[in-house]
């Protein structure tokens, strides 16, 4: 199996991050509509796994899809043009950022949580019959693993012995819910119980992710059945841009947080309803969730995977600054080309 | 009477009912933080955070409704009912029939619906026609805060399963959450009368709005425009414009699709002889065809036009706005009937 050196992995992570930051700027300017879920924090997963794919492998992604698409080599300008709603965008401006797809790359995203598993199982089935040695790969969140069709796929993929790799990106969250608080058992153990091969990796360590992905993919390609890679990583920019949970928990004295608090307090003291203990328990839980959101890794923090990789490359004597500059130039040029001919109504 | 936003009106109706009726429980993804006031007041026993397992929690809610509870289930969007349809289609909706009327399933499904904020074709559907085609379900879609409160209140005293759809464009909270995200740079064409208004509260007149009763929002004699949700507001705007051109439009807000207020529609058609259906759902096999059938069955043959969503909603904002029923499309459809 081909492996990529740390510097190349870092470059891919940097591309994914720079792309997301560019998307954020466009979103803030009102040029991108809808729920914009950034994949900041997932770069090591995207780079570690997607660099291990070959032509002919099918990739099914989620609402948080751009890092994997960038690493897969989907052209950046059409992708940005799509997000900007242009008719020469990747999908003719019809799909938007949650439903990006490229037939040429055999990659498709869906905003239906859990749908990537059966879709990738289908890619795997087609690979088995049409492209020997190729695989289907699904990215899925930790929350998605509780979706009915996801659980059904755990069974189906074994029954049909599919060359399927599911990469569970465990960021701890499903919007405002701690995914673990509504999940029974451990996700890897769940898959193991169905007969899957399971590996776990730390999403802060891109080489670890790459190693694990490469081993699991090799098994899948040899027809040894489905595999799950469970990777933990931070959710740096909240559920989506403008996430009120993140906003309010980072600005506890802001007007939005105060308004929420006012509503909650007046309801909590209304007559009729739960007992005092129950009400107190609710308040404690809500405050706990906000505290978690507040403590979440931010950009450039010690636990930002990009920073971790940056330091690792530096330690190894790699040319971090050159890579950073090249990446920045690539993305800036893509954005400039993507904006060509678009009337910008900035104030 | 109190001024409320559309979303607040539904929340308030649920809160009032939960205070009255201890059998009401609320469940759905993220409900503790989406409905923090309910969570704070009623606690985790009655406001249940659900995993992303719609088939399981909607199915469980239908079962709980058979066994004495009155669950309110929230879906993030009606589009996602696709993964849980069995609970409605084959279970909640069938129970009364299968038990020859002996057993009912008092379940309320609340789900945001509709487009107009650039979220793409998996997140902007209304699907009310598909849902209203199912015998045994009640499907209501309010267009004002007053109706939002009133229909929710009726639903929470109703014996069978009810789907209450909440147009995102009218619901400031959803629009902020899903569309604006705190940006000043993003604007939406929100009908003000639908987004905020006076609401009669428990005990006051009009606090409960009956199912199957349409509301005539504007009287007229040339063209009947039937609509619901955001479409009602677009139709009223179109009627204003058409009025200036000498075309008198009657605008009917259906409010409830199943049961459907056939009488009000037919009475209007007798008067006008022209029908324009403004429907934010798909054009084929849905409400617009249904209303044509309603007319024919009443032995009427009005001139007919429909302004609906004709294809998967495009993401690009301008194209989405063109694909949704809008004032220009309604005016040209109605004018064509006058020709
Ligand atoms: C079937 C379905 N249910 C609910 C939603 C709403 N929703 C969008 S993202 C999300 C949370 C997903 O959590 P996870 O799978 O962990 O992915 P993450 O957002 O953390 O990357 C939910 C509930 C949806 N899009 N589809
Ligand atoms: Mg998650």
């Amino acid at each position: 199996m081909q492996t990529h050196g740390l510097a190349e992995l870092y470059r891919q992570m940097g591309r994914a991050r720079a792309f997301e930051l560019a998307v954020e700027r466009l979103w803030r300017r009102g040029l991108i509509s809808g729920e914009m879920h950034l994949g900041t924090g997932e770069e090591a997963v995207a780079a570690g796994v997607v660099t291990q794919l070959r032509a002919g492998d099918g990739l099914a992604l989620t609402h948080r899809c751009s890092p994997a698409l960038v690493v897969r080599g989907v052209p950046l300008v059409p992708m940005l043009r799509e997000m900007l709603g242009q008719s020469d965008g990747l999908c003719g401006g019809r799909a938007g950022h949650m439903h990006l797809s490229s037939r040429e790359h055999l990659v498709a995203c869906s905003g239906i949580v859990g749908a990537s598993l059966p879709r990738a199982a289908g890619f795997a089935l087609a690979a088995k019959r049409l492209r020997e040695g190729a695989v289907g790969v699904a990215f899925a969140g930790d929350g998605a693993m509780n979706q009915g069709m996801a659980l059904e796929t755990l069974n189906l993929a074994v029954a049909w012995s599919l060359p399927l790799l599911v990469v569970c990106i465990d960021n701890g969250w499903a919007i405002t819910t701690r995914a673990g608080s509504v999940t029974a058992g451990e996700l890897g153990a769940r898959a193991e119980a169905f007969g899957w091969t399971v590996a776990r990796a730390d999403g802060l360590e891109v080489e670890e992710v790459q190693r694990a992905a490469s081993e699991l993919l090799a098994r899948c390609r040899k027809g040894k059945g489905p595999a799950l890679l469970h990777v933990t990583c931070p959710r740096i920019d909240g559920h989506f841009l403008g996430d009120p949970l993140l906003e309010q928990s980072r600005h506890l004295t802001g007007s939005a947080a105060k308004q929420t608090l006012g509503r909650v307090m007046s309801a909590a003291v209304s007559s009729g309803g739960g007992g005092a203990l129950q009400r107190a328990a609710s308040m404690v839980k809500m405050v706990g969730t906000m505290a978690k959101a507040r403590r979440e890794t931010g950009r450039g923090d010690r636990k930002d995977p990009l920073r971790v990789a940056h330091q690792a490359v530096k330690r190894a004597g790699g040319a971090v600054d050159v890579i950073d500059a090249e990446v920045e130039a690539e993305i800036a040029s893509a954005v400039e080309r993507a904006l060509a001919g678009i009337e910008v109504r900035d104030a | 009477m109190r001024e409320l936003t559309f979303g607040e009106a539904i929340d308030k109706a649920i809160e009032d009912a939960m205070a009255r009726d201890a059998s009401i429980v609320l469940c759905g993804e993220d409900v503790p933080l989406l409905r923090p006031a309910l969570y704070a007041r009623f606690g985790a026993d009655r406001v249940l955070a659900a995993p992303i397992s719609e088939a399981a929690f909607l199915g469980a809610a239908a079962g709980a409704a058979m066994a004495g509870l009155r669950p309110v289930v929230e879906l993030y969007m009606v589009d996602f009912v696709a993964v849980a349809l069995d609970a409605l289609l084959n279970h909640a909706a069938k129970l009364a029939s299968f038990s020859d009327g002996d057993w009912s399933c008092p379940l309320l499904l609340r789900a945001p619906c509709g487009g107009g904020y650039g979220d793409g074709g998996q997140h902007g559907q209304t699907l009310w026609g598909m849902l209203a085609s199912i015998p045994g379900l009640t499907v209501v879609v309010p267009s004002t805060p007053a109706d939002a409160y009133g229909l929710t209140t009726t639903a929470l005293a109703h014996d069978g399963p009810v789907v209450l759809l909440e147009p995102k464009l009218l619901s400031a909270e959803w629009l902020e959450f899903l569309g604006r995200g705190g940006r000043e740079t993003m604007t939406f064409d929100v009908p003000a009368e639908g987004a905020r208004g006076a609401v009669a509260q428990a005990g006051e007149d009009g606090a409960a709005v009956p199912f199957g009763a349409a509301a005539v929002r504007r009287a007229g004699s040339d063209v009947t425009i039937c609509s619901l949700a955001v479409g009602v507001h677009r139709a009223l705007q179109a009627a204003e414009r058409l009025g200036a051109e000498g075309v008198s439009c009657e605008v009917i807000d259906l409010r409830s699709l199943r049961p459907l207020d056939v009488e009000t529609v037919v009475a209007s058609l007798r008067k006008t002889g022209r029908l324009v259906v403004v429907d934010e759902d798909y054009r084929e096999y849905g409400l617009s065809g249904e209303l044509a059938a309603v007319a024919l069955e009443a032995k009427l043959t009005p001139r007919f036009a429909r302004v609906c969503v004709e294809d998967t909603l495009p993401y690009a904002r301008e194209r989405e706005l063109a694909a949704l029923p809008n004032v220009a499309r309604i005016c040209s459809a109605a004018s064509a009937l006058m020709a």
Side-chain angles (χ1 to χ4, degrees), chain A residues 195-272:
Chain A
W196 288 48
T197 304
V198 173
R200 295 165 181 84
D202 178 353
L204 296 187
E205 301 291 342
V206 63
E207 290 179 299
E208 185 181 321
V209 176
Q210 178 186 250
R211 227 170 5 253
S214 143
E215 279 168 26
L216 292 179
L217 282 164
R219 287 186 57 93
C220 291
R221 294 190 197 286
K222 282 190 208 129
K224 294 188 174 170
L228 175 85
L229 176 58
H230 183 199
V231 196
T232 48
C233 70
R235 188 182 76 173
I236 290 182
D237 286 288
H239 178 64
F240 44 31
L241 289 171
D243 183 345
L245 173 63
L246 197 65
E247 260 344 276
Q248 294 183 24
S249 50
R250 282 185 181 165
H251 305 105
L252 289 170
T253 53
S255 63
K258 277 189 184 144
Q259 206 184 343
T260 305
L261 189 71
R263 275 174 42 219
V264 169
M265 289 313 286
S266 90
V269 298
S270 296
S271 65

Side-chain angles (χ1 to χ4, degrees), chain B residues 146-220:
Chain B
D147 282 354
Y149 186 93
L151 289 167
T152 308
T153 299
T154 301
L156 288 170
H158 184 71
D159 239 4
V162 179
V163 177
L164 172 86
L165 299 180
E166 182 178 0
K168 282 168 271 177
L169 212 58
L170 300 181
S171 194
E173 298 76 11
W174 281 122
L175 200 56
E176 178 60 37
F177 189 64
L178 303 168
R180 185 175 284 112
R183 290 177 290 177
E184 300 294 336
T185 47
M186 194 42 84
T187 52
F188 308 101
D189 185 7
V190 174
E193 311 71 40
R196 193 177 182 86
V199 173
Q201 313 248 327
E204 297 173 2
D205 245 14
V209 171
F211 294 155
V216 178
R217 300 291 184 199
R218 178 186 173 116

Side-chain angles (χ1 to χ4, degrees), chain B residues 235-254:
Chain B
L236 285 167
Q237 252 182 297
E240 197 59 41
R241 201 178 287 180
L242 289 159
E245 294 163 16
V247 180
S248 161
C249 295
E250 180 142 301
V251 177
I252 298 178
D253 179 354
L254 296 168

Side-chain angles (χ1 to χ4, degrees), chain A residues 141-144 169-175 179 235:
Chain A
D142 43 345
I169 305 185
D170 186 345
N171 57 17
W173 291 100
I175 310 190
R235 188 182 76 173

Side-chain angles (χ1 to χ4, degrees), chain A residues 59-79:
Chain A
L59 183 57
L61 300 171
T62 69
H63 55 287
R64 210 179 290 290
C65 54
S66 23
L69 292 171
V70 169
V71 180
R72 190 64 172 136
V74 176
L76 304 184
V77 176
M79 207 151 71

Side-chain angles (χ1 to χ4, degrees), chain B residues 320-331:
Chain B
E320 184 197 20
L321 295 178
L324 291 167
N326 55 45
V327 175
R329 287 176 64 198
I330 300 168
C331 286

